[in-house]
Structures are given as structure tokens and as C-alpha cells.
Amino acid sequence: MNKQELSRLIREEILRRDEYSFEYSDTEVKLDQNESPYDLPAQIKGEILEAAGSQKWNRYPSLDGSRLRQALSDQLQLPHAMISVGVGSDELLNAIGNMTLSPGKRMLIVEPTFRIYSQIQEVNDAMVISLSLDSDMAYPVEKIINVLSTVTVDLTVIASPNNPTGSSITIDDIERIAGTANGLVVIDEAYFEFSCITALPLLKKFNNLVISRTFSKAFGLAGLRAGYIIAEPDIIKCIHKVKMPFSLNVFSETAAVMLLNNMEIIENKLELIRVEKRFLYEQLQEMDEVRIFRSDANFFLIDTGMTGKKIVRELTGLGIAVRDVSNYPGLDNCIRVTVGKPKENRMFLAALKSLIDKGKTIKDKEGGECVIQQ
């Protein structure tokens, strides 16, 4: 089909944007997608399979994931009506975009950040106000407040902790932003279980605040896709008007409910990740050639001083997958590394040190900028 035929059938804002893409690597060590490095124990997997198997698969799931909503309501001590669940937090964030954005509407984001946000803005043909994180990857709160005080912003989305930087925004600053904004303010807390910083208490004060979370990270359900949002009941009702019905399947809902009822499994894995995160941070700090940014999540942003794409390629060749983030604004020499299991983290550190030493040797021999050779 030629471009002219395609433009007759497809909206222009869809044609002009790129597909969301990710290059999978079949490597021994996988530290590139911020997943939990730990699969669920065989026993709980068996219980999930048994519970899902006892249900009728020829019948639709509940319209709105009522079992999971109730389980979350019990855990969070919030009304059922303040919670919506879906296929990962992405589906719900997309629903919020569809609900608030259209041509002429404005969305505010702070970059570099999660790429899905700009996709939501572009697909809805809305205008974007893009601010930049400070040099230390902190949120420019005063600039955000200034924008929100100056123009009407229909949707403000802030990831805390942020992806790919790991930086968080304080609750006091979220309070200032929500109090200034005349549109919805979404705080994406996909990595909340690692930071333990949440805007949840502010929901009592601000009816324009929405909190987004996922089961893909700390809960280890990335393969099953389940997430949720918390907001005022009237906002939840409107989200249900644009979100696809019956979207959360029986199996994913069963697994998420089962884990909420067995939180000790998640807490045990979180503690293992915290221990390894401290180790990884300390080891990387000892490498003078790299800059590691403070992170409240389960990953680190690392400025290697070398071209991001090349070092990722070299690490992949050594059987270690990390994320190339050099195409994000201002992150030319950066990679993002998920905290893995002890053996995986040590393999990564050894490989990175080897590449740095190789780069220094090349520099000493040839002079000029230190880059990894092809």
C-alpha cells in the first residue's frame, strides 16, 4: 500500500509517529527491562494455576476486575470505587489520555521519562509541554509550578520514581503541583514498592490527583500484565467509560489477587533486591570512569563516558543485556541497568570494568576520546 492510500485510511498523527519498539536479547544475564529477577515460587504458581483452572474459561471475566479491585481495596483501606484495574498500568494511562486529551489540549511531561507518555499525547493529537530534568536528574519543581500557573494544562504526568533515571519527587512538591494544576495530575508509582514513597495520602485533599501502579515490577507479574489506578470515584467512573470492558483476564486477575494475599513472598524478594542494589551502587561508585545517579527504583542510570549504543552492543556480546537509553534527551552516554540476582550483578560489574579498561587502553594508545571499538 502506498503512502497516499494509507493516509486516506489512517489518521495523520498515527502515520507520523514511530512504533514502540524493543530489541530482545537472548542473553544469559537479562538486566534491561526493570523486571524482578525472581520468578514466583513453584508452590504459589501451582496454587494460581489451580485457582485459575477451577474457573470457567468459556465465560467472560468480570466486567471491571471486581475481585482484584476488592483485594486492593482491602489492602489499601480505600473504597472499591476509588480503584480501577487493567492490563498493566499502560492500559489505564492510555485511558486517562483518551479521557482528557484531544487536539488543542495540553499535556505536561518532564524528560527524559517513560516513552509511553509521549505516545499517549501524540496519538490524541494534543500539544505537549516538555520540561527537562535538572543535571542531577531531579525534578525542576519551580518550572513545573510556573507552567501550571501560567497556562491551562489538561494532563500532567510525573513518574516517581522516574524511568529511566530512578529519581523521585517529594510528597511536598506533589502537593504543590496538585494544588496549582487546573487539570489532572497523574503520579506514576510503578516502582513504589522499591521507593516506599507514595502520594496516596494526598488523595484526601486533591480530587484532581491520580496514582498509577503496576504488578509488573516488584510483584514479578510482567508476563501477565496487571495494573491499577487510584483516584476519586467520579474519575474512576469516567475512566471506565473509555477503557475496554472485560480487559483483565481471569488468569492475571487470579495471580494478582493471590499475591496480594501472600505479600510475604513479595517482601522476601524485595529485601534480596535491596541488598543487591546497595552492593551494585557501592561497586559502581568505586569506578571513577562512570557516573551513577541516585535511584529510588530497582535500576540505575549510569553515564559510562562512552557511547551508549556501542557499550550496550559490547555487553550483549558478552551475554549481558542492559538498556540503551542514549536516544533519550540528554542521555547520550548512558545505559540503564536493572538490579539482578547476585551472580548476574557480579557478571555485569566484571564485564563493565573490562570494557572500561579496554577503552582506556585504546585511549592511551591512540589518544583522543575514549570509545569502545567495533
Side-chain angles (χ1 to χ4, degrees):
M1 185 180 296
N2 60 44
K3 290 183 179 180
Q4 186 174 1
E5 290 175 319
L6 201 58
S7 64
R8 180 173 55 84
L9 301 173
I10 308 297
R11 290 162 50 201
E12 180 58 34
E13 56 268 28
I14 305 300
L15 292 175
R16 65 172 175 251
R17 69 163 284 105
D18 294 328
E19 293 179 69
Y20 187 92
S21 60
F22 178 78
E23 186 174 339
Y24 288 90
S25 299
D26 184 18
T27 54
E28 179 182 356
V29 178
K30 192 175 187 306
L31 307 175
D32 57 345
Q33 286 192 281
N34 298 346
E35 304 146 319
S36 171
Y38 299 101
D39 199 358
L40 298 180
Q43 180 178 343
I44 194 72
K45 274 189 169 183
E47 292 175 11
I48 291 169
L49 287 167
E50 183 178 356
S54 67
Q55 298 179 59
K56 295 179 179 179
W57 292 8
N58 62 314
R59 303 300 183 192
Y60 281 101
S62 64
L63 180 67
D64 58 2
S66 57
R67 286 191 299 128
L68 181 53
R69 290 177 76 191
Q70 188 58 55
L72 286 164
S73 173
D74 294 341
Q75 187 194 68
L76 300 171
Q77 294 297 290
L78 290 171
H80 178 278
M82 290 184 68
I83 300 167
S84 180
V85 299
V87 184
S89 56
D90 293 352
E91 182 196 23
L92 298 162
L93 290 168
N94 186 61
I96 292 170
N98 293 340
M99 181 178 74
T100 58
L101 299 176
S102 60
K105 299 287 188 177
R106 296 187 184 94
M107 178 178 180
L108 186 150
I109 58 175
V110 185
E111 297 185 286
T113 194
F114 189 34
R115 284 285 169 82
I116 291 295
Y117 306 154
S118 60
Q119 176 176 319
I120 292 167
Q121 167 259 319
E122 290 173 6
V123 167
N124 286 283
D125 202 20
M127 295 183 289
V128 64
I129 299 173
S130 176
L131 302 178
S132 298
L133 293 171
D134 295 338
S135 59
D136 60 352
M137 301 304 164
Y139 275 99
V141 177
E142 297 307 323
K143 291 180 182 178
I144 297 172
I145 296 291
N146 182 61
V147 170
L148 294 175
S149 302
T150 305
V151 298
T152 297
V153 176
D154 303 280
L155 179 61
T156 300
V157 184
I158 294 173
S160 184
N162 185 40
N163 176 14
T165 64
S167 47
S168 295
I169 189 168
T170 68
I171 301 306
D172 288 344
D173 286 335
I174 293 173
E175 184 170 8
R176 293 177 62 203
I177 290 168
T180 305
N182 42 32
L184 280 187
V185 176
V186 175
I187 306 300
D188 186 349
E189 295 184 352
Y191 301 93
F192 154 71
E193 290 84 4
F194 303 103
S195 71
C196 299
I197 301 170
T198 178
L200 207 59
L202 297 179
L203 287 173
K204 296 177 182 178
K205 186 174 182 179
F206 300 103
N207 59 14
N208 63 332
L209 188 62
V210 179
I211 294 173
S212 167
R213 291 182 181 174
T214 183
F215 287 90
S216 295
K217 308 303 180 183
F219 282 81
L221 292 184
L224 299 190
R225 312 300 294 126
Y228 62 102
I229 57 171
I230 313 161
E232 279 291 307
D234 287 341
I235 292 177
I236 296 296
K237 285 181 181 179
C238 291
I239 287 170
H240 288 167
K241 293 179 182 180
V242 295
K243 186 178 80 70
M244 290 293 107
F246 309 107
S247 65
L248 188 64
N249 68 71
V250 167
F251 194 87
S252 297
E253 183 177 23
T254 299
V257 170
M258 190 79 74
L259 289 182
L260 288 172
N261 292 329
N262 290 273
M263 284 299 295
E264 68 280 359
I265 294 173
I266 307 305
E267 289 299 334
N268 290 340
K269 301 304 183 187
L270 282 172
E271 185 53 33
L272 293 174
I273 293 171
R274 291 185 189 111
V275 169
E276 280 303 300
K277 180 184 174 183
R278 287 193 292 270
F279 169 78
L280 199 56
Y281 184 74
E282 291 167 359
Q283 294 297 309
L284 288 166
Q285 274 194 314
E286 292 182 5
M287 297 184 186
D288 295 334
E289 299 82 5
V290 306
R291 179 185 181 189
I292 180 169
F293 293 90
R294 184 182 180 281
S295 172
D296 291 322
N298 66 327
F299 59 84
F300 287 110
L301 178 70
I302 305 171
D303 187 335
T304 64
M306 297 175 277
T307 306
K309 291 185 182 300
K310 292 181 179 179
I311 197 165
V312 167
R313 193 178 302 124
E314 292 277 348
L315 286 170
T316 301
L318 295 172
I320 300 166
V322 300
R323 190 64 175 264
D324 173 23
V325 293
S326 61
N327 57 343
Y328 284 73
L331 303 185
D332 293 354
N333 295 329
C334 291
I335 59 174
R336 190 193 68 197
V337 181
T338 310
V339 178
K341 295 178 181 178
K343 180 181 177 181
E344 296 171 332
N345 297 328
R346 285 150 183 78
M347 288 177 65
F348 161 71
L349 288 167
L352 180 62
K353 188 177 186 306
S354 172
L355 293 179
I356 289 171
D357 290 343
K358 176 182 175 183
K360 285 194 296 186
T361 301
I362 293 169
K363 183 178 180 181
D364 290 342
K365 288 182 177 179
E366 301 178 2
E369 183 184 2
C370 177
V371 296
I372 295 296
Q373 296 288 298
Q374 296 296 305

